[in-house]
Amino acid sequence: MITLQGLTKKYGGQAAVDNLSLTIAAGRVTGFLGPNGAGKSTTMRMIMGLDHPTSGQALVGGRAYADLAYPLREIGALLDAKAVHPGRSARAHLRALARTNGIPVGRVDEVLETVGLTSVANRRAGSYSLGMGQRLGIAGALLGNPGVVMFDEPVNGLDPDGVRWIRGLMRGLAAEGRTVFVSSHLMSEMQLTADHLVIIGKGRLITETSVKELIDSSSLNAVRVRGAEQEGLKMLVARLHESSVAVRWESHNELYITGLTVDRVSDLAFELGIRLHEVRSVEASLEQAYMELTADSVEFGAAAGRPHPGA
Amino acid sequence: MTTSMPVTTAGQPVRASGGGLPGAVAAEWTKLWSVRSTWWCLLGGAGLMLLTTPIIGATMANNKAKGTTVPVGDVAVATVYVAQFALIALAMLMITAEYASGSIRTTLQSVPKRGRLLAAKTAVAAAVSFLAGIVYGLIGVGVSSLSLGDKGETAGGDALGSALRIGVYLALVAVLAVAVAVAVRSAAGTLTIVFVGLTVLPVVLQASDIDPLVALAERMPNSAGTVFMNADTSPYGPGMGLLLLVLWALGTLALGFYVLRKRDA
């Protein structure tokens, strides 16, 4: 479990992380989302004792990182895949890590096996591809068999195979009862991996919610209707306007209706005697729900148009 | 695919022992010997001793009046001022290579107590430099007695004493290099500061002819090192030379620790 209590980091008066209080629970994957510059990496570095908070504290299992006697056995993190001396082999790198925390050296071969680097374990880390570097970083995170794991943008630069592997790994770690805290800005990936979400913007907590709740709350959930002829659809639109339901023309024979169920729309069409070729509910993606939520806190964003479903 | 971990209970310690300062030292030791640069530095230093000892020996012998001899230990000591930069590089790289590659973050995650980390790095750098220094000293003594022939003064015990003192000097210089490296982080910055501090600044101060500055120059690490290694008696004794060296090393180390503790990694 990770606990943040009023965690604040200021750089020259400007807050990168602003009074963040959170509990990241065990047994599920918690996605850590936010635009670039929102303070995700800074938060993670403070959890790992690398950066000093201006005020507040970050606790791992109730204690500050620097106070953990064997930190690698409590929490393992992948913060930067290339954080390995390029001239050192993966095996030597992991052995050195194991020695610092009294971890049996035999464990090194186990984690190398887990991440699939056994055959290249004696090669210099500088010769590794980005994906292999990422796997080595994960091997380091798993070395102490910690109850908490934390990954900063773990799928960046990975091929589809690597992305799938990391997804499975994180789900597996959470299923074993571990706390899994992962930052990403790939929403499609988070939709597949995370159970719970923490969303921050400009260093502040925007919301803490489940993936399902966030998607359900989107105004972009709609019913898509495709009609046989435009005349019928116009009748439907007129009727919906009477009851102040939001409707949008997608094309000459397609409508998006917000705030009604598929059943209700179908019944309405039947009452009006309109021939329809398609009625289905369109669910907002996590990305769309997220964009709606963070629209105000994008620090370096282009003035993008409002996203719409089915685009 | 999930993890194939043999330990099923999440968060259970693998084994509740080890680690601590001995673990940190063991890790630094493993790291030092798993990169090629360590071997290059050690061999480079030995090579410099082999190549430059005869030259420096010949120069020293030529400067002496006919019929007098040059103590081979003095030749070895003079040569160390060249070869020491190999060990300075070795000690420095234990820190600057980690900052350059970003692996300092991994290191600080495994050893979050920064004093412990610095102590481990310092201990390993000093121990390796001490042993390498003795070997360098023996090379210097051996080569100079061979190359100088009857112009060299070879008193057995004295020569061995010189080698031992060279080891101590180089261990303390390695501590100095670690301390500067941890404060400035970059290899170029560290080398510049150490080079200027050890060789340029004392000469400039000496040349100033201003008494307090000359006195300062005489108490800087290289002068103190010369007095200590040659067991000179002027301007102070070898014990004072050693004390000054230790003070410089520990003072710089305290400064480095202060910076490391404050800094965000």
Side-chain angles (χ1 to χ4, degrees):
Chain A
M1 192 172 79
I2 302 172
T3 317
L4 311 182
Q5 295 169 345
L7 191 67
T8 302
K9 180 71 180 181
K10 287 184 179 160
Y11 294 108
Q14 194 170 2
V17 175
D18 195 354
N19 197 19
L20 205 54
S21 293
L22 276 178
T23 299
I24 296 133
R28 64 186 184 192
V29 178
T30 302
F32 193 26
L33 311 181
N36 286 339
K40 301 189 295 288
S41 294
T42 307
T43 302
M44 288 186 155
R45 282 202 306 273
M46 286 193 282
I47 293 172
M48 298 308 287
L50 295 172
D51 287 10
H52 306 295
T54 308
S55 62
Q57 53 184 352
L59 304 176
V60 179
R63 274 179 299 167
Y65 192 87
D67 296 333
L68 300 171
Y70 301 104
L72 298 186
R73 299 176 185 178
E74 310 265 346
I75 178 168
L78 168 76
L79 296 187
D80 174 8
K82 283 284 168 189
V84 180
H85 190 299
R88 189 172 289 129
S89 73
R91 180 168 276 129
H93 169 73
L94 293 173
R95 276 197 181 156
L97 278 185
R99 293 202 162 118
T100 56
N101 275 248
I103 296 164
V105 173
R107 179 80 184 135
V108 168
D109 287 328
E110 287 170 23
V111 291
L112 282 168
E113 187 73 46
T114 303
V115 301
L117 287 180
T118 305
S119 60
V120 292
N122 293 326
R123 260 172 56 185
R124 290 151 54 95
S127 70
Y128 284 9
S129 66
L130 182 59
M132 289 157 85
Q134 209 84 324
R135 283 168 188 261
L136 177 55
I138 289 170
L142 299 179
L143 192 62
N145 195 26
V148 183
V149 287
M150 196 163 75
F151 301 118
D152 194 6
E153 305 282 357
V155 298
N156 260 8
L158 290 190
D159 57 19
D161 199 45
V163 171
R164 267 181 65 102
W165 177 75
I166 289 201
R167 194 187 299 153
L169 177 79
M170 289 193 292
R171 302 283 340 152
L173 290 169
E176 288 168 2
R178 294 172 213 262
T179 306
V180 182
F181 191 41
V182 53
S183 83
S184 183
H185 45 232
L186 295 177
M187 292 306 136
S188 51
E189 192 48 42
M190 280 295 100
Q191 192 164 6
L192 291 169
T193 314
D195 308 297
H196 202 73
L197 297 173
V198 169
I199 303 177
I200 65 171
K202 293 179 178 165
R204 289 165 184 269
L205 183 68
I206 295 177
T207 190
E208 203 196 332
T209 177
S210 74
V211 174
K212 188 177 180 314
E213 275 168 8
L214 179 62
I215 292 173
D216 287 350
S217 72
S218 171
S219 68
L220 300 171
N221 295 311
V223 176
R224 179 177 185 269
V225 171
R226 189 160 55 85
E229 65 269 311
Q230 211 182 6
E231 288 312 306
L233 290 182
K234 282 181 175 165
M235 281 167 62
L236 182 61
V237 168
R239 178 64 182 273
L240 291 167
H241 276 164
E242 283 168 27
S243 37
S244 329
V245 172
V247 189
R248 184 167 53 81
W249 286 94
E250 182 68 15
S251 71
H252 72 283
N253 66 345
E254 273 179 294
L255 295 175
Y256 276 88
I257 303 163
T258 313
L260 289 184
T261 62
V262 171
D263 294 1
R264 189 73 196 95
V265 172
S266 306
D267 290 349
L268 213 55
F270 180 75
E271 280 168 31
L272 295 171
I274 303 165
R275 265 197 321 137
L276 299 181
H277 285 170
E278 185 183 353
V279 185
R280 69 180 168 94
S281 76
V282 181
E283 197 179 55
S285 67
L286 177 61
E287 179 170 82
Q288 290 159 344
Y290 165 83
M291 296 300 273
E292 259 187 295
L293 199 64
T294 59
D296 299 332
S297 55
V298 177
E299 194 163 7
F300 309 106
R306 199 176 125 94
H308 57 79
Chain B
M1 181 203 284
T2 62
T3 55
S4 54
M5 295 203 189
V7 184
T8 47
T9 322
Q12 282 300 301
V14 178
R15 193 186 64 178
S17 67
L21 181 60
V25 170
E28 290 304 326
W29 184 262
T30 302
K31 285 196 278 184
L32 182 68
W33 298 111
S34 59
V35 290
R36 288 181 201 165
S37 60
T38 303
W39 297 100
W40 288 124
C41 287
L42 289 174
L43 288 174
L48 277 172
M49 287 302 294
L50 277 171
L51 291 175
T52 51
T53 303
I55 302 168
I56 289 177
T59 311
M60 287 171 77
N62 286 340
N63 289 342
K64 287 265 180 180
K66 256 200 155 49
T68 57
T69 54
V70 179
V72 291
D74 290 11
V75 179
V77 169
T79 312
V80 158
Y81 285 112
V82 182
Q84 65 179 342
F85 283 97
L87 294 180
I88 287 168
L90 179 147
M92 169 196 89
L93 284 171
M94 290 179 68
I95 307 232
T96 58
E98 295 208 359
Y99 276 104
S101 66
S103 59
I104 188 70
R105 295 217 178 111
T106 311
T107 300
L108 283 171
Q109 282 172 44
S110 61
V111 185
K113 294 212 167 41
R114 298 186 180 187
R116 179 187 293 172
L117 177 68
L118 188 57
K121 283 188 181 289
T122 306
V124 170
V128 171
S129 298
F130 175 65
L131 294 176
I134 291 177
V135 174
Y136 290 3
L138 292 175
I139 292 174
V141 167
V143 170
S144 58
S145 49
L146 284 177
S147 70
L148 287 175
D150 55 6
K151 285 181 194 157
E153 179 190 322
T154 324
D158 208 38
L160 288 180
S162 294
L164 198 64
R165 288 193 295 272
I166 286 171
V168 172
Y169 168 77
L170 288 177
L172 290 167
V173 166
V175 173
L176 208 60
V178 165
V180 174
V182 88
V184 301
R185 289 176 284 181
S186 82
T190 306
L191 268 187
T192 307
I193 290 172
V194 173
F195 183 75
V196 168
L198 282 184
T199 62
V200 179
L201 199 55
V203 175
V204 173
L205 293 179
Q206 284 279 9
S208 73
D209 238 4
I210 302 166
D211 284 346
L213 296 186
V214 173
L216 175 63
E218 284 171 349
R219 281 155 186 81
M220 288 187 68
N222 75 328
S223 302
T226 307
V227 171
F228 166 64
M229 287 188 283
N230 285 337
D232 287 343
T233 48
S234 158
Y236 42 80
M240 181 53 113
L242 178 62
L243 181 68
L244 284 168
L245 274 176
V246 170
L247 288 177
W248 277 107
L250 293 185
T252 318
L253 196 60
L255 186 73
F257 174 58
Y258 176 78
V259 175
L260 178 67
R261 202 170 52 117
K262 289 258 160 185
R263 186 165 53 208
D264 286 339

